[in-house]
Amino acid sequence: MPEKHPPEQLVQALWCLPVATEFQTTTGEQLRVEFPGWLNSGAGPDFLEARLCLGDQQLYGAVEFHTHTRLWQVHGRPDDPAYQQVILHVVLYHDPRLPPLVRDDGQTIPVVELATQLPEKWERLVPDGAALLKEYERLPGHCGSLLPEIGQQRLRLLLQEATEQRLQQKMQPIQQAWDTAEPEELLHRALFAALGAPNWSAPFAELSQHLPWSALQSWLRQPPRSARAELLARWFGLCGLLPETPPNAADLHREHAHWRQIWERSENTDRLSAPRRESRRPQGRPERLLVGWFHHLQRVTPLGLLRFWLQQLKTLEPLATTDTLRQTLLQLSDQAFHTPDWEPWRKHAGFAQTAILPDQQLLGEQRQVLLWVNGLLPFFLAYARQHGEPELESLLYRLLLVLPPEPENRHTRFLRQRLFALEAPTFPLSNCSMQQGMLQLAKDFCHNFHQGCHRCELVTLLQEGTSQPLP
């Protein structure tokens, strides 16, 4: 077959069609496709949650597509952490002279060359690859296809159980470390990791270990401007956010020079080792998050981090069953994470960034929700159980019901489409609790399944309407 240059979408569309389910890899191994996976329209590999059989080995993960093997290197895939879950590279044409693809864990990624294994006149099977992929992406999962006849009540019950399970799973690492660190230190670690979610969660968690809460106190008790420079210079330096080149923004020139001096004379100038991914949104840049976090820590220092947030929860406790709980919660949260009007970083995304942003809070409502769901609620659930405070535990679950949902991500969009493709107008995801339940269902079934979508155990639970714990 003469080599042609069809668009990559055509290669992906061929994977969706049941033209063939058995292939041979470029090294001669037999491969069977049990489930091709779900099309990923966001960043990362092209298909997610695929189920394959490579010889006698079961593989579960992502599949990446290119027209030519060399495009993996051209697109910079080897260094991207999002591609460490790839289990198969599907290409139309393979170059055997290229070295094998190896993930960071040492696993070699098998390659399937389609051009040598497709039927004659295969181009006619997919006259419009883009249109076919669009239709494929809109398909409901097995669970979603049955939802109209099963009804929503059983799903709501499972979502509630999944929400409780998810919060408890987030609590467990904190609970396990309770006897090895001070509670205030654990709260600081949990909040710092939540601050960076999702792209900078691991680096910020490492940062909280490198400069723990106890070490921050000497700086936070200095005069505000001195504390700001001393602490942010070290945070920026450790994160690799202090470039040698002066910034273009005139109002950051002096600050950049001052922070560089502080960083260069600091005792430890080793940078963080945790992998990170850059945010696509300037508002989510780590520089803005760190500056906003400094202002929060300075605000809570007189009382202490733990006492401050205990005080906020005590304020909310009498309102747990009232209609004003949500409004009061959001007001308290906005005050706690407020950025002063004079802060120049309200309009900047980084020293190396040229764009001037609209003046806005550095830790807005969406970031505050992430801090509550991934930091405050898990920590204080551990605290409530450690101190035997059932009223506090009840309040925490109530807060999940009134908090707005987290920002949409590929996991929530994925399960929303699989579950609610036929039901979305009548099943609004109006609060954080329902969204957390969805994320847990996706983790337990869609992202950790061995059965494939058509044999997923979630379908059995929905049909039975049981309240048994999720696997």
Side-chain angles (χ1 to χ4, degrees), residues 32-278:
R32 184 173 73 256
V33 180
E34 296 197 352
F35 179 59
W38 294 106
L39 181 66
N40 175 27
S41 56
D46 296 315
F47 279 74
L48 306 173
E49 324 312 335
R51 173 187 168 95
L52 312 173
C53 285
L54 182 63
D56 297 329
Q57 183 183 7
Q58 294 281 342
L59 301 178
Y60 312 95
V63 181
E64 177 69 353
F65 291 80
H66 290 110
T67 51
H68 295 77
T69 319
R70 67 176 182 275
L71 294 180
W72 179 286
Q73 278 79 11
V74 170
H75 293 167
R77 300 291 189 252
D79 300 325
D80 192 332
Y83 290 80
Q84 295 307 310
Q85 302 302 316
V86 171
I87 57 173
L88 182 67
H89 189 203
V90 179
V91 299
L92 195 59
Y93 306 107
H94 174 61
D95 185 347
R97 296 170 299 178
L98 294 174
L101 302 173
V102 181
R103 300 189 318 206
D104 289 350
D105 61 3
Q107 183 69 41
T108 299
I109 302 174
V111 179
V112 163
E113 182 182 33
L114 288 179
T116 60
Q117 303 181 65
L118 291 173
E120 291 293 329
K121 300 181 180 179
W122 55 269
E123 299 96 328
R124 299 180 184 178
L125 297 171
V126 191
D128 188 344
L132 178 64
L133 288 173
K134 188 174 181 179
E135 294 300 317
Y136 183 81
E137 188 179 16
R138 295 210 309 247
L139 288 174
H142 191 185
C143 52
S145 66
L146 296 177
L147 193 58
E149 64 182 79
I150 292 173
Q152 297 180 0
Q153 186 57 39
R154 294 175 180 178
L155 176 60
R156 290 180 186 274
L157 176 63
L158 286 176
L159 283 172
Q160 179 181 348
E161 293 177 344
T163 299
E164 294 177 3
Q165 179 187 356
R166 185 169 180 82
L167 182 55
Q168 291 170 16
Q169 287 182 356
K170 292 178 180 181
M171 171 200 70
Q172 285 174 358
I174 300 171
Q175 201 172 41
Q176 291 167 358
W178 200 268
D179 295 330
T180 64
E182 291 295 324
E184 198 160 39
E185 195 69 68
L186 294 175
L187 176 57
H188 177 245
R189 292 178 194 172
L191 283 171
F192 222 145
L195 175 72
N199 295 341
W200 279 76
S201 185
F204 281 9
E206 184 182 351
L207 188 58
S208 71
Q209 300 267 6
H210 202 93
L211 291 176
W213 172 252
S214 57
L216 303 183
Q217 300 310 297
S218 60
W219 294 308
L220 287 169
R221 297 188 185 280
Q222 293 180 14
R225 292 192 180 275
S226 174
R228 180 176 173 277
E230 292 288 339
L231 193 48
L232 288 173
R234 287 169 172 82
W235 279 347
F236 274 49
L238 287 166
C239 292
L241 302 174
L242 269 179
E244 295 183 6
T245 306
N248 293 319
D251 55 343
L252 294 182
H253 265 270
R254 181 178 295 180
E255 190 155 84
H256 174 267
H258 185 200
W259 290 8
R260 286 284 307 179
Q261 290 176 352
I262 294 173
W263 171 242
E264 288 169 358
R265 69 169 185 259
S266 63
E267 295 179 0
N268 190 342
T269 57
D270 293 334
R271 292 184 179 180
L272 304 179
S273 59
R276 76 288 308 267
R277 296 179 62 189
E278 296 301 328

Side-chain angles (χ1 to χ4, degrees), residues 201-462:
S201 185
F204 281 9
E206 184 182 351
L207 188 58
S208 71
Q209 300 267 6
H210 202 93
L211 291 176
W213 172 252
S214 57
L216 303 183
Q217 300 310 297
S218 60
W219 294 308
L220 287 169
R221 297 188 185 280
Q222 293 180 14
R225 292 192 180 275
S226 174
R228 180 176 173 277
E230 292 288 339
L231 193 48
L232 288 173
R234 287 169 172 82
W235 279 347
F236 274 49
L238 287 166
C239 292
L241 302 174
L242 269 179
E244 295 183 6
T245 306
N248 293 319
D251 55 343
L252 294 182
H253 265 270
R254 181 178 295 180
E255 190 155 84
H256 174 267
H258 185 200
W259 290 8
R260 286 284 307 179
Q261 290 176 352
I262 294 173
W263 171 242
E264 288 169 358
R265 69 169 185 259
S266 63
E267 295 179 0
N268 190 342
T269 57
D270 293 334
R271 292 184 179 180
L272 304 179
S273 59
R276 76 288 308 267
R277 296 179 62 189
E278 296 301 328
S279 172
R280 293 187 173 187
R281 298 175 61 252
Q283 292 82 354
R285 290 280 308 176
E287 294 94 329
R288 292 173 60 85
L289 300 179
L290 290 172
V291 176
W293 189 240
F294 163 77
H295 287 294
H296 173 67
L297 293 188
Q298 189 183 48
R299 185 171 293 111
V300 305
T301 291
L303 271 180
L305 190 62
L306 179 56
R307 287 183 61 193
F308 175 88
W309 281 110
L310 276 172
Q311 188 179 82
Q312 307 309 305
L313 292 171
K314 292 299 181 185
T315 301
L316 294 170
E317 208 165 72
L319 307 175
T321 58
T322 68
D323 295 335
T324 60
L325 178 61
R326 179 188 174 109
Q327 180 183 356
T328 307
L329 168 63
L330 295 179
Q331 287 176 346
L332 288 176
S333 185
D334 194 56
Q335 292 168 7
F337 295 112
H338 176 73
T339 308
D341 294 339
W342 57 262
E343 176 55 68
W345 284 91
R346 289 173 63 109
K347 297 186 293 184
H348 295 288
F351 284 124
Q353 306 297 312
T354 57
I356 301 296
L357 305 179
D359 189 321
Q360 58 189 210
Q361 295 284 349
L362 296 180
L363 303 179
E365 182 178 290
Q366 290 187 341
R367 184 61 52 177
Q368 292 171 28
V369 170
L370 290 172
L371 287 162
W372 276 98
V373 172
N374 299 308
L376 289 166
L377 296 184
F379 172 83
F380 281 105
L381 181 58
Y383 180 94
R385 295 191 174 181
Q386 190 73 19
H387 291 82
E389 297 190 23
E391 296 83 3
L392 176 57
E393 182 170 343
S394 177
L395 172 65
L396 299 175
Y397 284 109
R398 180 66 182 165
L399 293 179
L400 265 181
L401 291 172
V402 298
L403 276 169
E406 283 186 39
E408 278 273 71
N409 57 46
R410 66 182 180 89
H411 299 296
T412 54
R413 286 191 292 268
F414 171 83
L415 193 59
R416 183 195 292 271
Q417 182 60 38
R418 304 289 82 80
L419 264 175
F420 305 125
L422 307 177
E423 290 272 328
T426 60
F427 203 105
L429 299 175
S430 57
N431 61 49
C432 198
S433 178
M434 293 184 67
Q435 189 185 54
Q436 290 296 301
M438 278 187 60
L439 287 168
Q440 189 64 36
L441 291 183
K443 176 184 176 183
D444 285 339
F445 298 102
C446 301
H447 304 324
N448 192 31
F449 70 99
H450 289 190
Q451 304 90 354
C453 189
H454 62 295
R455 294 196 296 269
C456 180
E457 291 177 0
L458 177 58
V459 174
T460 304
L461 291 179
L462 285 170

